[in-house]
Amino acid sequence: MATKQLTERQRRVYELIRELILNRGYGPTVREIGEAFGIKSPNGVMCHLRALERKGLIRRSPNKSRAIELVDGGDRRGHSLPMAGKVAAGLAPLAHEPMDRVDFSNMFCQNDRFILQVSGDSMIDANIQDGDFVVIQKQETADDGQMVVAELPSGESTLKFWYPEENGRVRLQPANPTMEPIFVSDARVVGVAVGVVRNHV
Amino acid sequence: MATKQLTERQRRVYELIRELILNRGYGPTVREIGEAFGIKSPNGVMCHLRALERKGLIRRSPNKSRAIELVDGGDRRGHSLPMAGKVAAGLAPLAHEPMDRVDFSNMFCQNDRFILQVSGDSMIDANIQDGDFVVIQKQETADDGQMVVAELPSGESTLKFWYPEENGRVRLQPANPTMEPIFVSDARVVGVAVGVVRNHV
DNA sequence: GCGACAACGGTACATTAGTATGGTTGCGTG
DNA sequence: CACGCAACCATACTAATGTACCGTTGTCGC
């Protein structure tokens, strides 16, 4: 949703409402909004709320306090963050004001997915480092070269690239020049890697 | 959290509050709760709310309507994924049944954070590749060696490691052997990188 | 210059809604 | 059996809150 015909002021008001509902758990009152923006008259705020409702961003119930709903459900309630632009290898100016939002809902909101924490550097050349969390989509098959979690006959599992070979065997290829691939004839795909999350600090 | 010492009635009240906050977007009033359970006196509900607050499940602000916060953030569905264990460089058995959950709420649910998409390979040795999303915590200062978004006097911004030097200047160090550090005397820290999200497929 | 509109200030009013006080009932425990 | 406690009713008070009405200012396009 490309934050359409909103004025700058309206956008800021919407952002505040959204932020409070999502992070605090309950929305602001008319006067709270006014305070936040230095608007001294409740009517000044009402004006904005009417605009936001007219433009389809919020929904309200008459005569009920704090009864502001975000029509888009708040972009899946916190699964998104404002996007300030790209940082290039070189240099790029940073967008400060008008922001789209990046939404990771589809990454997390699936019930056939799970997380694996990676230990070790076997996938370092795929830029997956020790401690990273890999999001795995459960599935039985994989395409050539996909990163998969494979289960070996021994019952052990490993995160590797999946390369089926002519002879019916599979090459499980780590992304680390110091490590050798594993060749197995009876490996099972548990799932494929669809995302990586790293969380320092 | 094992829904501890709650009475059946309190549990139901909590469930209602939770459901309304999460699905409707704003919580109930004291009298709304009463209506839902056939409690005709506001005080009957107040009793439950006090109990829930005393037991640490909700938080309230005095004299504010609908000001009920869920202390656990409502266990925001989707912010967590089941954790199946670790995959080692070597091999490790995969946990199939009893799973913890990994929760990324604290990564996303902060209002002073934003996303930058990285283009280029300047931070490739930090295992951040082209297209990755970096979660930035807004702040004005940074410690030695932290990964920061720095703004240069020219107005351009860049993602680099932050190394202040004796002479008052700062070395902005890329994580790529083919690239040279930038030395500036007047760079500003926009924020520090606290997370990375990669989303293929 | 005129009308439309965003974006307010000011004020007033009627609910809405949180809170306090005082009492009742039923259950379980020492 | 007294006591504590959960779970209420009834009522009253007051602050918080949504809303309506009337103006004002500045910008923008025609």
Side-chain angles (χ1 to χ4, degrees):
Chain A
M1 185 190 320
T3 324
K4 44 184 182 182
Q5 296 298 66
L6 288 185
T7 67
E8 176 59 18
R9 201 68 165 156
Q10 287 167 4
R11 199 188 58 76
R12 282 175 179 269
V13 171
Y14 177 73
E15 284 299 325
L16 176 74
I17 296 172
R18 182 195 141 77
E19 198 247 51
L20 285 176
I21 291 182
L22 263 45
N23 294 335
R24 189 177 63 173
Y26 56 92
T29 64
V30 172
R31 286 171 181 81
E32 259 180 41
I33 298 174
E35 247 177 82
F37 291 98
I39 302 172
K40 290 175 186 171
S41 164
N43 188 39
V45 177
M46 286 294 286
C47 177
H48 285 129
L49 292 182
R50 270 191 288 265
L52 288 175
E53 188 163 21
R54 180 162 36 85
K55 293 177 182 179
L57 286 166
I58 63 173
R59 204 178 312 121
R60 305 190 67 206
S61 302
N63 300 321
K64 300 176 77 175
S65 64
R66 302 177 196 273
I68 305 176
E69 290 176 70
L70 305 172
V71 275
D72 64 1
D75 242 21
R76 302 265 181 270
R77 310 187 188 292
H79 270 286
S80 64
L81 282 173
M83 166 80 131
K86 288 200 171 198
V87 276
L91 302 161
L94 203 58
H96 276 282
E97 291 312 331
M99 298 188 182
D100 281 335
R101 299 189 73 86
V102 194
D103 187 26
F104 297 110
S105 307
N106 49 4
M107 185 156 157
F108 294 105
C109 291
Q110 313 256 352
N111 40 17
D112 52 353
R113 293 191 172 181
F114 62 95
I115 288 278
L116 281 177
Q117 190 171 22
V118 177
S119 70
D121 289 331
S122 71
M123 299 304 279
I124 195 71
D125 276 359
N127 297 311
I128 295 176
Q129 67 188 36
D130 187 66
D132 282 2
F133 298 95
V134 181
V135 182
I136 306 292
Q137 168 78 48
K138 288 185 194 172
Q139 57 186 63
E140 307 284 315
T141 59
D143 295 334
D144 277 32
Q146 274 193 307
M147 193 189 303
V148 306
V149 174
E151 190 177 60
L152 310 184
S154 63
E156 293 168 311
S157 294
T158 182
L159 183 70
K160 295 282 184 299
F161 287 111
W162 179 261
Y163 287 107
E165 300 200 320
E166 299 293 323
N167 53 20
R169 306 208 308 182
V170 176
R171 186 175 98 242
L172 296 176
Q173 180 69 49
N176 187 324
T178 69
M179 303 177 70
E180 295 301 318
I182 303 175
F183 295 90
V184 282
S185 52
D186 196 21
R188 191 173 67 83
V189 174
V190 177
V192 306
V194 294
V196 180
V197 179
R198 185 178 308 149
N199 196 358
H200 19 269
V201 177
Chain B
M1 185 190 321
T3 324
K4 42 184 182 182
Q5 299 296 63
L6 288 186
T7 66
E8 177 61 17
R9 200 69 165 156
Q10 288 168 4
R11 200 186 54 77
R12 282 174 179 271
V13 171
Y14 177 73
E15 284 301 322
L16 176 75
I17 295 171
R18 181 195 142 81
E19 201 249 45
L20 286 176
I21 291 182
L22 261 46
N23 295 336
R24 189 177 64 173
Y26 56 92
T29 65
V30 172
R31 287 171 180 79
E32 259 178 39
I33 298 175
E35 248 177 83
F37 290 98
I39 302 173
K40 291 174 186 171
S41 164
N43 190 37
V45 177
M46 285 293 285
C47 179
H48 286 129
L49 293 181
R50 270 191 288 265
L52 288 174
E53 189 164 21
R54 179 162 37 85
K55 294 177 182 179
L57 285 165
I58 62 173
R59 203 179 314 120
R60 305 189 66 204
S61 301
N63 302 321
K64 301 177 77 175
S65 65
R66 300 179 198 273
I68 305 176
E69 290 177 70
L70 304 173
V71 278
D72 63 0
D75 214 38
R76 292 169 199 271
R77 281 177 309 185
H79 267 288
S80 63
L81 281 173
M83 165 82 129
K86 289 199 171 199
V87 275
L91 302 161
L94 204 58
H96 276 282
E97 290 312 327
M99 298 188 180
D100 283 336
R101 295 187 74 87
V102 192
D103 188 28
F104 297 109
S105 306
N106 48 2
M107 185 156 157
F108 295 105
C109 293
Q110 312 257 353
N111 43 13
D112 50 355
R113 295 191 169 181
F114 62 94
I115 288 280
L116 280 177
Q117 189 171 21
V118 176
S119 71
D121 288 332
S122 70
M123 298 305 278
I124 195 69
D125 276 359
N127 297 310
I128 294 176
Q129 65 189 36
D130 187 66
D132 282 2
F133 299 95
V134 181
V135 182
I136 306 293
Q137 168 78 47
K138 287 184 195 172
Q139 58 186 63
E140 308 283 315
T141 60
D143 296 333
D144 276 32
Q146 273 193 310
M147 194 188 303
V148 306
V149 175
E151 190 176 61
L152 308 183
S154 62
E156 293 168 310
S157 293
T158 182
L159 182 70
K160 295 282 184 297
F161 286 110
W162 178 263
Y163 287 106
E165 300 200 320
E166 299 294 323
N167 52 20
R169 307 207 309 180
V170 176
R171 185 175 100 239
L172 296 175
Q173 179 70 49
N176 187 324
T178 69
M179 302 176 71
E180 295 301 318
I182 302 173
F183 295 89
V184 283
S185 53
D186 196 22
R188 189 174 69 82
V189 175
V190 177
V192 305
V194 294
V196 179
V197 179
R198 185 179 307 151
N199 196 358
H200 17 272
V201 175

